[in-house]
Amino acid sequence: MAGSLFPTSTTTTAAWRHKPTWYAISSQGRTTDPGLQRFLATRMRARTIELPADHLSIITHPDAIAHLILTAAQSS
């Protein structure tokens, strides 16, 4: 049973290389350094928002996160 939970295929190309991406940077994050977040977002060529929050920005800034998600969904 446990073996069926994990796919056996491998990913060959990251989706962010070919698809539009969005990223919420948490500028006060200590779990993932904000500099690393910015680097990753730039590498993905992501559209970003930066929030004065820790890694729980989805809880502390729900309206901004919802707007980011809706923007991403509407651009498809």
Side-chain angles (χ1 to χ4, degrees):
M1 173 74 174
S4 65
L5 297 176
F6 302 100
T8 57
S9 62
T10 58
T11 302
T12 57
T13 305
W16 58 262
R17 292 191 184 274
H18 305 288
K19 296 181 182 270
T21 57
W22 287 258
Y23 198 109
I25 297 168
S26 298
S27 65
Q28 297 173 357
R30 292 185 292 164
T31 302
T32 303
D33 180 70
L36 176 60
Q37 294 177 58
R38 289 182 197 100
F39 167 77
L40 295 172
T42 299
R43 181 177 167 195
M44 292 186 288
R45 295 182 297 279
R47 294 167 185 91
T48 63
I49 60 171
E50 188 152 337
L51 302 170
D54 63 9
H55 70 281
L56 292 176
S57 60
I58 194 168
I59 303 297
T60 59
H61 295 80
D63 292 338
I65 297 296
H67 186 283
L68 180 69
I69 293 168
L70 291 172
T71 301
Q74 290 170 354
S75 75
S76 299

